[in-house]
Amino acid sequence: MATPIQWIRSLVFMIVIYMWMLVLGLVFAPYAMFAKRGALHACKTYARTTMWLARWMVGIRCEIRGTVPVDEVVIGAKHQSFLDIIMIFSAIPHGKFIMKRELLWTPVIGLYASRLGCIPVNRGKKGAAVAKMVQDVAKEFTEPGQLVIYPQGTRVAPGVHKPYKVGTAVLYEGLGIPCVPVATNAGVFWPRSGVMRKPGLAIVDFLDPIEPGVQRARFLDRLEDVIETRSNALMTEVGFDPDAVH
């Protein structure tokens, strides 16, 4: 059960990590504007320190499982909270994210996302957005890296079902590279909204890659099955019953 002390700790934690984002972003801005490695270094530093602060301030321990990809791949990831973004980015060498276009205009985040080569998409135009996304990826994906996309298109609370969209399959086909599914239970401890952060073990699990050449419908079925099955298992492992959510 949540306590007033944990709520206060959570509030202080949220204030600290967003102030830290601003400070770090301003300090690294000149370096980041002239060198992409500056942006990468700043974001890696932010991700790792935030994970450390999460353990120290609110009791969230972060654990990376599976084989972390270091080659050029598409990563199809379960997305439950800001924490799983941080954990994935901290683990992979050169992460680039498919992100909603509005984030480009967000102070600090917009600058660094652009410098990292993240791909903004307009989620309101569906088919047109997918076509534009593929074009933009072809332009940006000239350097080796790991392209992270959320197959459900947004954060989804633990235990809530939301269909998988076609965008991940389109990128997988168009790029002709493996897709690494990623499961998580991070939303159990760091929900998509609200202040409360609950202590516990947040896990991001890199699963076996899906090699190129799988037909689109089969690929999407397989992707959803492995991510949802493993994510449910990770949630059950920490005492959360995904089947109890209605």
Side-chain angles (χ1 to χ4, degrees):
M1 179 180 293
T3 65
I5 292 176
Q6 185 67 19
W7 191 91
I8 293 170
R9 291 173 66 186
S10 299
L11 178 61
V12 174
F13 169 69
M14 296 304 292
I15 293 171
V16 168
I17 65 169
Y18 284 112
M19 289 299 296
W20 175 231
M21 179 187 292
L22 178 60
V23 170
L24 199 63
L26 292 175
V27 168
F28 274 89
Y31 184 19
M33 284 189 287
F34 290 100
K36 286 188 176 182
R37 65 179 177 273
L40 182 65
H41 184 51
C43 294
K44 290 283 189 183
T45 300
Y46 178 77
R48 289 164 182 164
T49 53
T50 298
M51 290 164 61
W52 180 81
L53 287 168
R55 179 166 187 156
W56 177 64
M57 296 184 72
V58 293
I60 299 177
R61 293 170 292 127
C62 298
E63 181 176 307
I64 305 296
R65 295 182 182 175
T67 302
V68 178
V70 296
D71 297 323
E72 192 173 9
V73 297
V74 173
I75 293 176
K78 183 72 174 175
H79 186 23
Q80 294 181 340
S81 81
F82 184 45
L83 180 57
D84 55 66
I85 297 177
I86 292 172
M87 293 175 67
I88 291 171
F89 186 79
S90 73
I92 57 181
H94 298 285
K96 307 174 185 182
F97 290 79
I98 302 293
M99 54 181 275
K100 57 184 179 181
R101 185 170 297 276
E102 303 92 281
L103 288 177
L104 282 181
W105 312 114
T106 304
V108 181
I109 293 177
L111 167 65
Y112 285 89
S114 177
R115 294 301 292 151
L116 289 174
C118 295
I119 312 297
V121 296
N122 186 344
R123 296 191 301 182
K125 294 186 177 180
K126 297 184 179 179
V130 171
K132 181 69 163 55
M133 176 179 68
V134 173
Q135 293 176 0
D136 290 343
V137 168
K139 293 177 184 176
E140 288 287 346
F141 217 52
T142 55
E143 300 175 3
Q146 300 78 44
L147 182 65
V148 184
I149 184 171
Y150 299 112
Q152 292 170 293
T154 187
R155 288 173 295 177
V156 180
V160 174
H161 175 72
K162 187 175 178 64
Y164 279 49
K165 299 183 178 181
V166 73
T168 307
V170 172
L171 286 179
Y172 163 78
E173 289 177 352
L175 294 173
I177 57 179
C179 176
V180 176
V182 174
T184 189
N185 66 359
V188 173
F189 309 103
W190 186 320
R192 57 178 295 181
S193 60
V195 171
M196 179 61 72
R197 302 293 178 258
K198 302 174 184 177
L201 180 61
I203 304 165
V204 159
D205 195 356
F206 290 86
L207 308 176
D208 291 339
I210 302 174
E211 296 300 329
V214 179
Q215 187 269 339
R216 181 178 296 188
R218 288 182 57 207
F219 167 80
L220 283 173
D221 287 343
R222 182 174 168 186
L223 184 71
E224 180 172 358
D225 179 62
V226 296
I227 291 177
E228 293 301 310
T229 299
R230 185 57 182 152
S231 293
N232 287 345
L234 294 177
M235 288 184 277
T236 301
E237 179 180 330
V238 297
F240 181 88
D241 182 3
D243 295 326
V245 178
H246 298 287

